[in-house]
């Protein structure tokens, strides 16, 4: 017999508990039932049964009203959960507002109930959605997984929503991996539809325990002509991984993502990376990607890293002087009386400088620069400080060298700031900055001071290795800037190479023509239906088995002879675009795609190449990139899931908040 047909029992006494606002007491034969008015479930309604089981049911009942039972569950919130006694913590419940305030409407995730919104005052509560929201919060903000076990967090959640069962550490870990797999599939699908090609940045990380990691990040210009990046993998390299195995790890990741045929360039964060690694990658992917005959556009080294490296050379060479200045600054800042005397002498010397002497943090070499810069300005004050330890006194020659090194470091800091702070670091911005460093190094090598000229020679040797690998790629990207075209290459090469400048200019011109021809051949194949947009381009590999390897090139050249002028020729012959600060090169190429259909394809891939891999957070760090202890202690698969998904979710947030940083990287701690 249905509950609806049962007779309502006469209540022998008034039911005083508020729980009965949500149950109807019915009697069948000699048995009393409590029937939930929300879901019609029958529970024991005997006066001997109490009301605890009824309160427990309301906590689990999916059809009840959250707000209506909030007072009912106040007692439940104060009961023990594991070893936690929430009642021991003061809540000051009497000060809570009795009136319900309707909160702001909050949207669900984009692909879940996309057009719906929930109101916190409504009667609907989804514990599954709340669990995933908690996991996303942990991922997005880099919180430790163990936070769900923290007493304060449990208290907060139970106060906010008593009906939410706080999950265990292992459960939230599974939820994070679940989100990772879902997001990974979404990005995989996006890559499969991407028209342009992908540039891969490879960065090495470590942990306080000296574990080694490799971070693979895809950089590309999407179909809306916006520069994008996605961390693809964050892999743990165990002790069995030798350096020559790194290429196999990289290639496997590319194949897992099915983007090996879309690869355009690979950027390494260290100029000293073994060239054999690059050669092995070239050998395995050369048949499925466009490249110049010498492969320069494949092998890219991070510009900011080479500048960091030569800055370290300068600081190391001046180490004795830096130690003396550091000791002097420590002495001046040791007491207020000494600092007051220091400032008094500065006024007597006519130094009206509002800067204060600062002590550096050696792991951040830009702080060492600031210490040196200020000390050089106060050199006469240090000289006249009578109580200063003689061991800290600098000779005139040492002050002169310190002043010169300050000018070196100042230039490098300014240029690294340009790279690391740019929210849209397209490849065209690097050529003029790197050329300026090249010119200055040439000048520094001419110094009459043997110490400075020797240092500059060492710095230039390291720079030249970088320049030999990356100069063509830098020049091609600059040529594709409509404000400069070939003229910027001609301007800088005449200063760098002097009498041999014309030969170098021709190399850059021939290089961009060769790459353009590869894109033209691909365009011809697409028009004929034998290739798809975004598929592999013809390569210059020597495959003797392909008897018709030159046919595509011949077909392209013979058809081109019938064309009046190519995209590239038209682009180079037309007037340059006026130079202004608000210029957006990607938007320019998006607008001019109909005018330069083939060249714009090439420009999208070239401009998306990461010429530098240093984010602003640690642009001047001398100790390498190190994970914090929370992430380094995680299992490898979980660590990768959290780091990659954090990057993906933050990128979605960046789309909604344009002011946020372009780079989203793993959590970072300073090295000791």
């Amino acid at each position: 017999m249905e509950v609806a047909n049962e007779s309502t029992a006469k209540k022998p006494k008034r039911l005083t508990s508020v729980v009965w606002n949500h149950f109807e007491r019915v009697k069948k034969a000699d048995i009393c039932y409590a029937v939930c008015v929300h879901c019609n479930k029958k529970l024991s309604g005997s006066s001997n049964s109490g009301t605890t089981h009824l309160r427990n049911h309301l906590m689990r009942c999916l059809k009840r009203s959250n707000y209506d039972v909030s007072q009912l569950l106040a007692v439940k919130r104060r009961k023990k959960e594991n070893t936690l006694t929430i009642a021991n913590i003061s809540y000051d419940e009497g000060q809570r507002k009795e009136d319900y305030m309707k909160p702001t409407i909050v949207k669900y995730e984009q692909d879940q109930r996309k057009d719906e919104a929930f109101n916190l005052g409504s009667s609907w509560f989804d514990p599954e959605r709340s669990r995933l929201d908690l996991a996303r919060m942990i991922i997005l903000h880099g919180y430790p997984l163990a936070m769900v076990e923290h007493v304060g967090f449990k208290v907060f959640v139970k106060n906010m929503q008593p009906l939410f069962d706080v999950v265990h550490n292992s459960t939230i870990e599974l939820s994070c991996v679940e989100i990772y797999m879902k997001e990974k599939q979404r990005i995989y699908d996006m890559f499969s539809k991407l028209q342009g090609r992908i540039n891969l940045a490879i960065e090495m990380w470590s942990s306080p325990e000296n574990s080694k990691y490799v971070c693979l990040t895809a950089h590309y210009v999407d179909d809306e002509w916006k520069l994008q990046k996605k961390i693809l993998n964050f892999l743990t390299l165990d002790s069995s991984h030798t350096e020559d195995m790194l290429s196999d790890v990289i290639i496997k990741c590319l194949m897992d993502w099915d983007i090996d045929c879309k690869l355009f360039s690979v950027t390494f964060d260290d100029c000293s990376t073994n060239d054999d690694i690059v050669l092995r990658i070239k050998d395995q992917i050369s048949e499925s990607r466009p490249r110049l005959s010498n492969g320069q556009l494949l092998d890219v080294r991070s510009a900011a890293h080479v500048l960091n490296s030569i800055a370290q050379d300068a600081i190391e060479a001046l180490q004795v002087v830096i130690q003396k200045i550091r000791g002097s600054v420590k002495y001046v800042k040791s007491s207020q009386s000494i600092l007051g005397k220091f400032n008094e002498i500065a006024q007597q010397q006519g130094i009206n400088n509002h800067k204060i002497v600062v002590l550096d943090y050696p792991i951040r070499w830009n702080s060492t620069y600031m210490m040196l810069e200020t000390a050089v300005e106060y050199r006469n004050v240090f000289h006249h400080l009578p109580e200063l330890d003689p061991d800290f006194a600098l000779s005139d020659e040492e002050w002169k060298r310190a002043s010169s090194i300050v000018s070196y470091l100042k230039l490098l800091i300014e240029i690294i700031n340009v790279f690391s702070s740019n929210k849209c670091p397209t490849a065209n911005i690097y050529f003029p900055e790197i050329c300026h460093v090249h010119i200055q190094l040439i000048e520094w090598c001419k110094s009459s001071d043997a110490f400075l000229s020797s240092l500059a020679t060492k710095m230039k040797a390291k720079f030249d290795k970088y320049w030999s690998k990356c100069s063509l790629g830098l020049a091609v990207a600059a040529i594709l800037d409509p404000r400069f075209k070939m003229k910027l290459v001609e301007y800088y090469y005449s200063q760098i190479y002097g009498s041999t400048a014309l030969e170098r200019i021709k190399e850059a011109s021939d290089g961009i023509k060769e790459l353009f021809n590869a894109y033209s051949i691909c365009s011809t194949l697409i028009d004929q239906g034998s290739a798809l947009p975004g598929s592999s381009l013809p390569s210059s590999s020597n495959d003797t088995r392909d008897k018709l390897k030159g046919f595509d090139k011949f077909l392209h050249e013979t058809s081109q002879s019938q064309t009046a002028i190519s995209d590239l020729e038209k682009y180079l012959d037309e007037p340059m675009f006026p130079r202004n600060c608000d210029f957006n090169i990607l938007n320019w190429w998006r607008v001019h795609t109909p005018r330069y259909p083939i060249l714009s394809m090439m420009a999208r891939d070239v401009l998306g190449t990461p010429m530098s891999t240093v984010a602003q957070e640690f642009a001047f760090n001398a100790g390498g990139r190190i994970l914090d202890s929370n992430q380094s202690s995680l299992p490898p698969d979980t660590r990768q899931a959290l780091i990659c998904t954090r990057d993906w979710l933050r990128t979605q947030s960046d789309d909604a908040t344009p002011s946020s940083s372009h780079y989203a990287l793993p959590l970072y701690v300073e090295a000791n």
Side-chain angles (χ1 to χ4, degrees):
M1 183 179 295
E2 296 295 329
V3 172
N5 296 329
E6 297 170 352
S7 61
T8 301
K10 293 183 179 180
K11 302 172 185 176
K13 63 178 180 178
R14 184 171 178 268
L15 300 175
T16 56
S17 174
V18 292
V19 76
W20 291 107
N21 292 335
H22 302 272
F23 289 90
E24 183 180 5
R25 196 176 192 187
V26 298
K27 186 175 182 181
K28 181 179 179 183
D30 295 330
I31 303 175
C32 288
Y33 296 98
V35 181
C36 178
V37 298
H38 305 291
C39 65
N40 289 333
K41 183 173 181 178
K42 291 192 299 184
L43 296 95
S44 173
S46 170
S47 59
N48 297 326
S49 301
T51 58
T52 300
H53 66 297
L54 303 182
R55 289 189 174 90
N56 290 337
H57 168 73
L58 287 177
M59 291 184 67
R60 296 187 295 270
C61 180
L62 297 180
K63 295 184 179 181
R64 52 80 189 95
S65 166
N66 295 341
Y67 173 66
D68 289 343
V69 298
S70 61
Q71 295 301 320
L72 173 69
L73 300 174
V75 176
K76 185 67 178 179
R77 276 177 284 169
R78 292 193 292 269
K79 290 198 172 183
K80 289 184 178 180
E81 179 175 320
N82 298 331
T83 59
L84 169 66
T85 304
I86 300 178
N88 292 337
I89 302 176
S90 175
Y91 291 111
D92 196 10
E93 300 241 6
Q95 294 183 6
R96 293 184 177 177
K97 292 186 178 181
E98 297 295 335
D99 296 333
Y100 171 69
M101 298 180 65
K102 187 176 181 180
T104 305
I105 291 177
V106 183
K107 291 290 184 182
Y108 290 129
E109 60 172 304
Q110 293 180 358
D111 57 349
Q112 180 184 6
R113 302 177 180 90
K114 188 172 182 180
D115 298 324
E116 296 182 18
F118 73 87
N119 186 313
L120 296 181
S122 69
S123 61
W124 186 78
F125 170 69
D126 186 348
E128 176 68 11
R129 177 183 56 76
S130 296
R131 176 181 61 82
L132 292 175
D133 285 345
L134 173 59
R136 288 188 188 89
M137 179 190 74
I138 289 174
I139 294 170
L140 187 59
H141 300 289
Y143 298 142
L145 294 175
M147 71 170 288
V148 298
E149 306 284 355
H150 295 171
V151 170
F153 178 74
K154 290 182 177 181
V155 170
F156 171 77
V157 171
K158 282 301 180 183
N159 251 353
M160 182 67 70
Q161 176 51 269
L163 303 171
F164 179 67
D165 292 327
V166 179
V167 296
H168 295 291
N169 191 335
S170 57
T171 303
I172 203 65
E173 181 178 344
L174 291 174
S175 298
C176 291
V177 173
E178 177 186 345
I179 295 172
Y180 164 72
M181 297 303 296
K182 182 178 181 180
E183 291 295 321
K184 182 178 180 179
Q185 184 61 48
R186 184 180 64 82
I187 292 174
Y188 181 93
D189 294 340
M190 180 273 297
F191 281 149
S192 67
K193 300 173 184 176
L194 186 67
Q195 295 293 306
R197 287 163 183 83
I198 291 170
N199 304 279
L200 187 69
I202 300 173
E203 299 173 276
M204 304 305 296
W205 285 71
S206 62
S207 71
E209 300 77 25
N210 292 323
S211 297
K212 302 298 181 183
Y213 313 96
V214 59
C215 180
L216 307 183
T217 306
H219 296 251
Y220 58 95
V221 176
D222 65 18
D223 296 337
E224 300 297 322
W225 284 89
K226 294 185 183 298
L227 187 62
Q228 304 285 359
K229 62 167 286 292
K230 306 285 184 189
I231 295 180
L232 302 181
N233 297 92
F234 196 87
L235 303 172
T236 303
L237 302 177
D238 57 41
S239 56
S240 65
H241 278 93
T242 57
E243 191 176 56
D244 59 353
M245 294 175 63
L246 183 59
S247 59
D248 296 330
V249 172
I250 294 169
I251 293 168
K252 182 180 184 303
C253 291
L254 293 173
M255 297 181 70
D256 287 345
W257 283 95
D258 198 20
I259 57 174
D260 52 309
C261 63
K262 288 179 174 284
L263 188 64
F264 181 76
S265 71
V266 180
T267 301
F268 294 89
D269 62 353
D270 189 351
C271 288
S272 63
T273 299
N274 193 330
D275 290 340
D276 290 340
I277 295 176
V278 183
L279 290 174
R280 281 191 287 271
I281 296 175
K282 285 181 182 180
D283 290 342
Q284 296 203 39
I285 66 175
S286 61
E287 296 183 13
S288 59
R289 59 165 307 280
R291 66 181 179 96
L292 302 181
S293 57
N294 59 6
Q296 272 213 43
L297 287 185
L298 170 69
D299 185 6
V300 182
R301 304 301 166 99
S302 173
H305 278 80
V306 72
L307 299 185
N308 261 309
S309 182
I310 63 178
Q312 291 299 316
D313 289 342
I315 289 175
E316 183 180 350
L318 200 66
Q319 198 59 242
V320 174
V321 174
I322 291 174
Q323 290 290 356
K324 289 183 178 181
I325 292 177
R326 189 177 289 135
S328 299
V329 172
K330 285 181 179 179
Y331 172 73
V332 169
K333 297 178 73 68
S334 63
S335 71
Q336 286 297 322
S337 61
I338 298 177
L339 182 59
K341 186 177 293 186
F342 182 87
N343 293 331
E344 182 181 340
I345 296 174
Q347 291 181 353
Q348 294 172 359
Q349 293 291 323
I351 301 176
N352 297 317
N353 194 333
H354 296 293
K355 291 183 180 179
I356 60 173
V357 287
V358 292
L359 192 62
D360 70 329
Y361 181 44
I363 200 69
R364 305 282 295 181
W365 67 264
N366 60 327
S367 72
T368 302
Y369 157 76
M370 289 187 286
M371 181 184 73
L372 292 174
E373 181 189 41
T374 307
V376 167
E377 295 180 9
Y378 284 105
R379 58 180 294 182
N380 290 333
V381 182
F382 284 108
H383 181 70
H384 287 87
L385 199 62
E387 297 87 355
L388 185 64
D389 191 324
D391 292 339
F392 298 150
L394 273 69
S395 66
D396 290 341
E397 189 68 22
E398 287 175 322
W399 279 116
K400 180 182 177 182
R401 291 176 180 177
S403 180
S404 297
I405 297 300
V406 164
S407 66
Y408 293 4
L409 297 179
K410 181 179 181 180
L411 172 66
L412 299 177
I413 284 176
E414 289 174 349
I415 293 177
I416 291 176
N417 277 331
V418 170
F419 298 161
S420 62
S421 62
N422 196 304
K423 295 298 187 292
C424 187
T426 47
N428 60 299
I429 70 173
Y430 295 89
F431 181 76
E433 305 292 347
I434 294 298
C435 285
H436 188 59
V437 172
H438 199 166
I439 293 169
Q440 289 301 310
L441 283 169
I442 293 172
E443 291 299 315
W444 295 343
C445 288
K446 298 176 183 178
S447 174
S448 58
D449 186 313
F451 169 81
L452 294 175
S453 62
S454 175
L455 170 61
T457 301
K458 179 182 179 181
M459 295 164 69
K460 188 174 183 300
K462 188 173 291 185
F463 178 87
D464 287 344
K465 182 179 180 180
Y466 163 81
W467 181 257
S468 66
K469 292 181 176 295
C470 302
S471 59
L472 181 57
L474 293 168
V476 168
I479 295 169
L480 291 171
D481 190 325
R483 300 169 298 172
F484 304 121
K485 301 185 179 180
M486 284 297 302
K487 290 299 181 181
L488 192 66
V489 176
E490 295 169 3
Y491 170 73
Y492 277 114
Y493 277 15
S494 63
Q495 299 178 65
I496 294 172
Y497 295 112
S499 59
T500 62
L502 290 178
E503 298 175 15
R504 301 294 184 174
I505 293 170
K506 186 176 185 301
E507 287 178 5
S509 178
D510 291 345
I512 194 170
K513 289 177 182 177
E514 183 180 350
L515 187 62
F516 176 77
N517 287 337
Y519 275 82
S520 298
I521 294 172
C522 180
S523 178
T524 301
L525 296 176
I526 292 173
D527 292 341
Q528 294 174 348
S530 56
L532 297 174
S535 61
S536 59
L537 295 185
S539 70
S540 52
S541 61
N542 296 318
D543 186 355
T544 56
R545 294 172 298 175
D546 184 4
K547 303 302 180 184
L548 296 176
K549 63 180 180 179
F551 176 71
D552 291 332
K553 184 176 180 181
F554 168 77
L555 184 64
H556 165 69
E557 290 174 347
T558 54
S559 62
Q560 280 291 100
S561 63
Q562 303 172 4
T563 305
I565 187 171
S566 71
D567 278 8
L568 181 60
E569 293 170 321
K570 185 194 305 181
Y571 167 78
L572 293 176
D573 288 343
E574 291 179 346
M576 291 185 293
F577 191 80
R579 194 158 62 91
N580 62 73
C581 298
D582 297 328
F583 179 70
N584 185 324
I585 190 170
L586 295 180
N587 186 60
W588 190 93
W589 278 105
R590 180 184 65 82
V591 171
H592 289 80
T593 295
R595 183 168 180 78
Y596 310 110
I598 298 175
L599 189 61
S600 63
M601 291 168 50
M602 187 179 87
R604 178 167 57 185
D605 298 337
V606 172
L607 295 175
T609 303
M611 294 296 182
S612 180
T613 59
V614 176
Q616 193 170 15
E617 295 92 317
F618 41 83
F620 304 102
N621 179 60
R625 284 151 297 187
I626 303 176
L627 286 180
D628 70 355
S629 57
N630 285 328
Q631 290 193 325
S632 63
S633 63
L634 293 170
D637 290 343
T638 302
R639 178 168 47 246
Q640 175 172 251
L642 291 175
I643 290 174
C644 291
T645 313
R646 182 190 184 205
D647 176 67
W648 303 337
L649 295 182
R650 288 185 62 177
T651 301
Q652 295 174 21
S653 300
D654 288 354
D655 292 340
T657 311
S659 61
S660 55
S661 174
H662 175 74
Y663 284 91
L665 296 167
L667 294 181
Y668 164 76
V669 295
E670 300 282 6
N672 293 323

